């Protein structure tokens, strides 16, 4: 693995100061992380955890966000139903709430369906919200929580997101838990600080990590067309997995899938998929195009070749 400066000529590094983490994290762990990210180019990157989740499957999610009409979604579902997808990939799509029923009723069972958000508890007098129970009732298996657009536009904080995740998991819904730094946070060397703080908010409250997929999405790469290089993404994924090993357990670090999101498309997915700690993708705009989304799903073949 080359030096960070080789991968990120625009940035000075991922950390400039020690992170504000709980006392259980020792200085030796931080030194270990920093040393891992500065390995000489002659040394092959390695780690003592498996590249994939306990299920052994790559994971690709499509976040349709606030896009689509009945007609366009009918066409998209038709394209997905006819697509030839590699079998050893978990595939999930997340339509807007108003189209969930249409999608669950017409989409092949090969692809699971996710909500884009859920409430912190049972439903009731919460105008505009959607409950976990409602998502399950309509056939959803997953929910996306902590997406940067919820954090930075809507104003959801780490603790609120953590409580949402805990409730969803307790009720039997899988969680795609999003983390990631703003551009100014990366430029200030705070990438790890931010991601670890967001992870800790999940770790403090979730009952189990069995049904959690972590999605690392650098905010500066979401919808901007500016994708993190494979090496930049891999650096953070390694650090996230090591954080799980140190702060949760070695088993959780090994089994938890860590996927990448941020302007992933049919052209860049293969190179990203080759990275050892990238266990799949959370896809935005490209997931609205059935053939391109299928290409991204099938990039698992690059993972097999790389292995």
């Amino acid at each position: 693995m080359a030096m960070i400066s080789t991968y990120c000529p625009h940035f000075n590094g991922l950390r400039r100061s020690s992170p504000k983490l709980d006392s259980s994290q020792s200085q030796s762990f931080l030194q270990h992380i920093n040393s891992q990210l500065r390995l000489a180019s002659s040394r092959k990157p390695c780690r003592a955890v498996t590249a994939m989740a306990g299920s052994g499957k790559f994971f690709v999610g499509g976040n349709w966000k606030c896009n689509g009409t009945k007609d366009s979604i009918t066409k998209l579902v038709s394209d997905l139903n006819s697509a030839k997808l590699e079998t050893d990939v978990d595939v999930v799509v997340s339509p807007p709430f108003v189209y969930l029923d249409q999608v669950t009723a017409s989409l092949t069972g090969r692809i699971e369906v996710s909500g884009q958000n859920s409430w912190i508890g049972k439903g009731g007098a919460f105008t505009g919200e959607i409950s976990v129970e409602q998502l399950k009732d309509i056939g959803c298996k997953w929910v996306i929580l902590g997406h940067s657009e919820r954090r930075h536009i809507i104003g959801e904080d780490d603790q609120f997101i953590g409580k949402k995740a805990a409730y969803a998991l307790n009720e039997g819904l899988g969680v795609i838990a999003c983390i990631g730094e703003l551009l100014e946070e990366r430029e200030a060397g705070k990438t790890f600080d931010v991601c670890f703080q967001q992870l800790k908010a999940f770790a403090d409250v979730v009952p189990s990590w069995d049904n959690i997929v972590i999605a690392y999405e650098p905010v500066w790469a979401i919808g901007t067309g500016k994708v993190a290089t494979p090496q930049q993404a891999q650096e953070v994924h390694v650090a996230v997995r090591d954080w799980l090993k140190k702060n949760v357990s070695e088993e959780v670090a090994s089994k938890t899938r860590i996927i990448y999101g941020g302007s992933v498309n049919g052209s860049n997915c293969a190179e990203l998929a080759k990275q050892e700690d990238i266990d799949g993708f959370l896809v935005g705009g490209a997931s609205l195009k059935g053939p391109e989304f299928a290409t991204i799903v099938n990039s698992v073949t690059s993972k097999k070749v790389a292995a």
Side-chain angles (χ1 to χ4, degrees):
M1 183 182 291
M3 298 286 283
I4 286 180
S5 58
T6 300
Y7 295 147
C8 318
H10 183 65
F11 302 119
N12 292 329
L14 301 180
R15 175 184 285 115
R16 288 181 182 169
S17 59
S18 298
K20 296 179 180 178
L21 300 173
D22 63 66
S23 58
S24 66
Q25 292 184 277
S26 65
Q27 186 64 31
S28 62
F29 169 60
L30 301 179
Q31 292 170 346
H32 168 68
I33 289 292
N34 286 331
S35 65
Q36 274 200 322
L37 298 182
R38 291 166 175 80
L39 293 171
S41 59
S42 61
R43 181 176 174 183
K44 183 179 179 180
C46 61
R47 54 177 172 76
V49 291
T50 58
M52 304 301 294
S55 69
K57 285 189 176 181
F58 207 61
F59 186 104
V60 177
N63 181 8
W64 298 357
K65 304 189 179 184
C66 189
N67 292 296
T69 63
K70 287 200 304 184
D71 288 345
S72 69
I73 286 175
T74 295
K75 173 64 165 59
L76 178 53
V77 168
S78 176
D79 287 343
L80 293 175
N81 286 344
S82 62
K84 184 177 179 181
L85 304 177
E86 291 289 320
T87 57
D88 52 348
V89 186
D90 284 336
V91 186
V92 177
V93 296
S94 187
F97 293 131
V98 294
Y99 300 119
L100 282 172
D101 193 36
Q102 176 185 348
V103 173
T104 55
S106 58
L107 185 65
T108 172
R110 167 72 182 84
I111 302 173
E112 293 185 326
V113 179
S114 170
Q116 295 182 16
N117 181 41
S118 63
W119 181 236
I120 200 168
K122 279 193 173 183
F126 306 108
T127 301
E129 287 295 337
I130 187 166
S131 71
V132 168
E133 291 80 4
Q134 289 170 326
L135 291 176
K136 290 175 61 182
D137 184 48
I138 210 165
C140 290
K141 304 295 185 184
W142 296 85
V143 64
I144 298 171
L145 296 174
H147 194 280
S148 65
E149 288 151 9
R150 301 294 305 181
R151 293 178 185 272
H152 301 295
I153 298 175
I154 307 301
E156 295 182 0
D157 63 26
D158 295 340
Q159 288 66 41
F160 186 67
I161 294 164
K163 290 177 181 177
K164 283 185 172 188
Y167 186 80
L169 291 164
N170 278 321
E171 295 302 313
L173 206 59
V175 171
I176 301 170
C178 300
I179 63 172
E181 81 284 5
L182 296 166
L183 178 60
E184 55 265 36
E185 291 167 337
R186 172 168 277 266
E187 290 179 327
K190 295 180 179 179
T191 294
F192 290 168
D193 299 21
V194 171
C195 291
F196 291 171
Q197 177 180 309
Q198 292 169 350
L199 279 173
K200 186 177 184 300
F202 288 113
D204 284 347
V205 294
V206 298
S208 167
W209 288 80
D210 289 346
N211 293 312
I212 299 177
V213 171
I214 296 172
Y216 167 60
E217 297 194 296
V219 182
W220 47 272
I222 298 174
T224 63
K226 182 177 183 180
V227 65
T229 66
Q231 295 83 6
Q232 285 175 322
Q234 169 67 10
E235 287 162 354
V236 180
H237 284 228
V238 168
V240 167
R241 203 178 297 279
D242 280 340
W243 189 95
L244 290 172
K245 182 177 179 180
K246 182 71 176 180
N247 293 275
V248 183
S249 75
E250 186 169 353
E251 180 182 13
V252 166
S254 176
K255 289 183 176 181
T256 301
R257 289 172 284 189
I258 306 170
I259 64 177
Y260 172 77
S263 296
V264 177
N265 58 46
S267 299
N268 59 34
C269 58
E271 287 304 310
L272 286 162
K274 290 177 183 177
Q275 299 301 307
E276 190 178 8
D277 285 86
I278 294 180
D279 300 327
F281 302 109
L282 184 57
V283 186
S287 69
L288 299 172
K289 305 168 186 175
E292 185 169 12
F293 186 64
T295 296
I296 296 169
V297 170
N298 293 336
S299 68
V300 68
T301 57
S302 298
K303 173 72 76 180
K304 294 173 186 175
V305 172

